């Protein structure tokens, strides 16, 4: 083992010494040889030949210099010729490199680089082609901030760009492009295992558990799931009574005050299903003014507003609690003018509930309404809106006659609903214009209204 170790050390010393000699040669003799080759290349610029002729001149010059150099160059020549024969694309680049005066060593390096690139291209790891703009190369594989791909991250042009594309930066670019952009909006998710599905029909003990969860939690996600579960169960009459008897109405109604619009919407939906029961309406009436105020001030045409209007419509089907909302008549008519198609239909259903109660007529016709409300009688509106506005006019006209308010016209201002529907005469003209409507149902409704004038 000792002699083997000594032999290994000797071999390592020989290798190190050979490497040192080669470095000395490269720093001294090799530089002189390259300078001589460059001088001869500059003198032969009058010839139009490229590539092979330059290699021959370089070989001759090296042969005149030293035998050892000639031996090493004789090995390079077949490699160069082989690369030129098998790789025409490489041949052109080697020729262009030799024409620029790079020397035999530069040609060999260029050939080696091109062969390396072609080998990597065959293996599916070719250099990426960028979109050149000015003196910068745009890498199309990198993600643009806020976008999906595109050339927004520039790299330097030239040979270094190709090296970076095929080197370590290539792996970094791929890791950046696969990184998902961070979301800035809140995600309503939680790890709470809710004991029931939202569409399960629950018994009274199970409803008690859901109410206890809703009462104790402040997590919006849990509140939403619990409210949807209770709202779905409140669609069944036997559970409407069970939720009321378990004290569920105050627990649900306390969430009207929350600032989360999703929670308020689910709260109104649950109370809306509960309000179908007459006894539940007696419990919900405590919160009806609060619901009305929130519905009027929330975002126009939003889901919260629609849910609130549906709840108010259910609560005013009977005459018991309509007086609690009489202060909001002007807001109802303003919303009737400003809202979209669905809001208009829902608010008209609500107002029609009031018009079917003769006791509410005086307060209703004395409220101020926008004069643009008359535009709802135009024939451009669809059947549902026209039928609702005609029903609204018919009911108010009948109530004015039955309550004897026609003789009290001096009590109402020119901006009141009474003046718009009864005194101005504009509504009657609009209704007569609808007598030729294309829809037969609308035409029949118009004729019915006109016969009562």
């Amino acid at each position: 083992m000792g002699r083997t170790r000594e032999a290994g050390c000797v071999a390592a010393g020989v290798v190190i010494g050979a490497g040192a000699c080669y470095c000395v040669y490269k720093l001294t003799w090799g530089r002189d040889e390259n300078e001589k080759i460059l001088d001869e290349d500059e003198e032969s610029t009058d010839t139009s030949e490229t590539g092979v002729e330059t290699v021959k001149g370089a070989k001759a010059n090296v042969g005149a210099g030293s035998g050892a150099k000639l031996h090493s160059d004789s090995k390079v020549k077949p490699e160069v010729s082989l690369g030129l024969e098998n790789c025409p694309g490489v041949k052109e680049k080697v020729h262009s490199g030799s024409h620029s005066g790079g020397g035999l060593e530069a040609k060999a390096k260029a050939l080696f680089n091109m062969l390396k690139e072609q080998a990597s291209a065959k293996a599916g790891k070719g250099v990426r082609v960028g979109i050149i703009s000015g003196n910068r190369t745009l890498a199309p594989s990198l993600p643009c901030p806020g976008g999906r791909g595109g050339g927004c991250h520039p790299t330097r042009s030239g040979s270094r760009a190709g090296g970076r594309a095929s080197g370590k930066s290539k792996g970094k670019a791929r890791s950046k492009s696969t990184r998902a952009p961070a979301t800035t909006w809140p995600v309503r998710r939680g790890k709470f295992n809710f004991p029931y599905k939202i569409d399960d029909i629950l018994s009274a003990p199970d409803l008690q558990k859901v109410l206890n969860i809703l009462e104790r939690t402040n997590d919006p996600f849990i509140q939403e799931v619990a409210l949807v579960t209770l709202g779905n169960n409140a669609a069944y009459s036997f559970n409407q009574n069970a939720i009321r008897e378990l004290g569920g109405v105050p627990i649900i109604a306390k969430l009207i005050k929350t600032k989360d619009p999703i929670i308020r919407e689910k709260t109104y939906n649950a109370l809306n299903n509960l309000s179908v029961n007459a006894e539940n309406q007696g419990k919900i009436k405590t919160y009806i003014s609060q619901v009305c105020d929130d519905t009027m001030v929330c975002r126009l045409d939003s889901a919260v507003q629609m849910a609130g209007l549906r709840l108010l419509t259910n609560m005013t089907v009977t005459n018991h609690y309509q007086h609690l909302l009489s202060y909001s008549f002007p807001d109802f008519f303003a919303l009737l003018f400003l809202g979209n198609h669905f809001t208009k239909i829902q608010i008209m259903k609500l107002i029609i509930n009031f018009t079917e109660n003769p006791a509410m007529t005086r307060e209703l016709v004395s409220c101020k309404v926008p004069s643009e409300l008359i535009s709802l009688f135009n024939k451009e509106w669809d059947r549902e809106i026209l039928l609702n506005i005609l029903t609204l006019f018919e009911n108010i006209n009948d109530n004015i006659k039955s309550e004897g308010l026609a003789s009290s016209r001096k009590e109402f201002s020119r901006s009141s609903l009474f003046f718009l529907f009864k005194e101005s005469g504009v509504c009657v003209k609009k209704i007569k214009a609808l007598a030729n409507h294309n829809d037969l149902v609308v035409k029949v409704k118009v004729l019915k209204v006109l016969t009562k004038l």
Side-chain angles (χ1 to χ4, degrees):
M1 290 297 294
R3 292 182 179 180
T4 304
R5 186 176 299 175
E6 290 178 1
C9 292
V10 171
V14 172
V15 172
I16 294 172
C21 294
Y22 178 74
C23 292
V24 172
Y25 164 74
K26 293 291 289 183
L27 293 175
T28 56
W29 297 343
R31 184 182 300 174
D32 296 337
E33 296 295 337
N34 289 337
E35 290 177 357
K36 292 179 181 180
I37 293 172
L38 291 176
D39 293 338
E40 290 185 1
D41 286 339
E42 291 176 358
E43 292 175 359
S44 60
T45 54
D46 55 342
T47 63
S48 60
E49 299 294 328
T50 60
V52 177
E53 291 185 1
T54 306
V55 172
K56 290 180 180 179
K59 181 183 176 183
N61 191 13
V62 174
S66 64
K69 181 66 179 176
L70 178 61
H71 178 69
S72 63
D73 288 344
S74 64
K75 294 181 180 179
V76 175
K77 180 179 178 181
E79 293 178 3
V80 176
S81 62
L82 182 62
L84 294 176
E85 291 173 2
N86 296 335
C87 305
V90 176
K91 180 178 179 180
E92 296 178 0
K93 298 203 173 183
V94 174
H95 288 182
S96 61
S98 63
H99 184 68
S100 61
L104 184 59
E105 184 180 352
K107 298 184 188 74
K109 288 183 178 180
L111 177 63
F112 176 75
N113 289 335
M114 296 311 300
L115 290 175
K116 183 179 178 181
E117 290 178 3
Q118 284 198 354
S120 61
K122 290 181 180 179
K125 301 179 180 180
V127 180
R128 294 178 180 175
V129 180
I131 303 171
I132 300 175
S133 175
N135 60 347
R136 306 174 78 87
T137 301
L138 304 181
S141 62
L142 296 177
C144 178
R148 298 182 179 179
C152 293
H153 294 271
T155 57
R156 293 181 183 177
S157 61
S159 61
R160 295 182 63 184
R164 289 181 180 179
S166 61
K168 295 182 179 180
S169 62
K170 181 177 178 181
K172 294 181 180 179
R174 287 184 177 177
S175 63
K176 289 182 180 179
S177 62
T178 57
R179 185 178 300 172
T183 55
T184 57
W185 56 85
V187 179
R188 300 175 67 85
R189 292 291 183 270
K191 280 191 172 182
F192 179 77
N193 292 325
F194 200 74
Y196 312 103
K197 295 181 180 180
I198 59 175
D199 54 351
D200 286 345
I201 301 176
L202 307 180
S203 61
D206 295 329
L207 290 173
Q208 184 65 69
K209 291 180 182 179
V210 176
L211 289 172
N212 291 339
I213 292 173
L214 181 61
E215 187 177 17
R216 295 173 183 175
T217 185
N218 291 322
D219 188 345
F221 175 75
I222 302 175
Q223 289 175 342
E224 181 181 354
V225 175
L227 286 170
V228 173
T229 304
L230 292 171
N232 290 339
N233 278 269
Y236 301 95
S237 58
F238 54 88
N239 277 337
Q240 293 170 1
N241 294 324
I243 292 174
R244 181 188 69 254
E245 293 170 357
L246 293 171
V249 174
I251 296 175
I252 296 173
K254 74 174 184 178
L255 295 175
I256 296 175
K257 299 179 181 180
T258 185
K259 295 181 179 180
D260 192 332
I262 297 178
I263 300 301
R264 295 208 311 276
E265 178 197 353
K266 306 307 180 186
T267 301
Y268 293 155
N269 289 338
L271 292 176
N272 183 42
N273 288 345
L274 288 171
S275 66
V276 177
N277 186 292
E279 295 184 25
N280 287 342
Q281 285 189 0
K283 299 287 186 179
I284 299 174
K285 70 176 183 180
T286 309
Y287 314 98
I288 189 171
S289 298
Q290 188 177 351
V291 173
C292 182
D293 294 341
D294 179 61
T295 303
M296 294 300 107
V297 300
C298 67
R299 186 168 60 86
L300 184 65
D301 304 327
S302 62
V304 182
Q305 190 171 68
M306 290 298 296
L309 288 175
R310 286 192 295 267
L311 175 57
L312 295 177
T313 303
N314 269 358
M315 289 294 296
T316 55
V317 169
T318 62
N319 301 338
H320 302 298
Y321 312 110
Q322 289 181 355
H323 63 281
L324 298 175
L325 299 177
S326 59
Y327 70 96
S328 297
F329 285 158
D331 297 329
F332 292 159
F333 283 103
L335 188 59
L336 176 59
F337 172 68
L338 297 173
N340 62 12
H341 178 269
F342 302 102
T343 303
K344 281 180 167 62
I345 292 174
Q346 192 62 50
I347 197 71
M348 278 193 283
K349 291 179 180 179
L350 174 60
I351 297 175
I352 287 173
N353 286 346
F354 291 100
T355 62
E356 292 177 349
N357 182 9
M360 302 297 298
T361 304
R362 183 177 292 273
E363 293 182 58
L364 190 62
V365 298
S366 61
C367 73
K368 295 182 179 180
V369 297
S371 59
E372 294 83 1
L373 196 65
I374 202 70
S375 63
L376 292 176
F377 291 93
N378 292 339
K379 62 181 180 180
E380 287 79 12
W381 293 104
D382 63 356
R383 174 196 289 185
E384 191 169 8
I385 287 183
L386 288 176
L387 291 178
N388 279 306
I389 194 64
L390 288 171
T391 302
L392 180 62
F393 178 86
E394 180 185 8
N395 291 347
I396 290 178
N397 187 64
D398 292 344
N399 290 339
I400 289 175
K401 291 180 180 180
S402 63
E403 295 294 317
L405 297 178
S407 59
S408 306
R409 63 187 65 182
K410 294 182 180 179
E411 299 179 9
F412 307 105
S413 65
R414 296 179 63 87
S415 59
S416 65
L417 182 64
F418 178 88
F419 184 85
L420 182 66
F421 276 12
K422 193 69 178 177
E423 293 298 314
S424 65
V426 180
C427 280
V428 177
K429 293 180 181 179
K430 290 279 189 179
I431 294 172
K432 289 180 179 180
L434 292 174
N436 297 324
H437 199 275
N438 296 330
D439 195 309
L440 181 60
V441 178
V442 175
K443 187 183 295 186
V444 172
K445 184 68 174 179
V446 169
L447 294 177
K448 180 182 177 183
V449 173
L450 291 176
T451 56
K452 294 183 177 182
L453 295 177

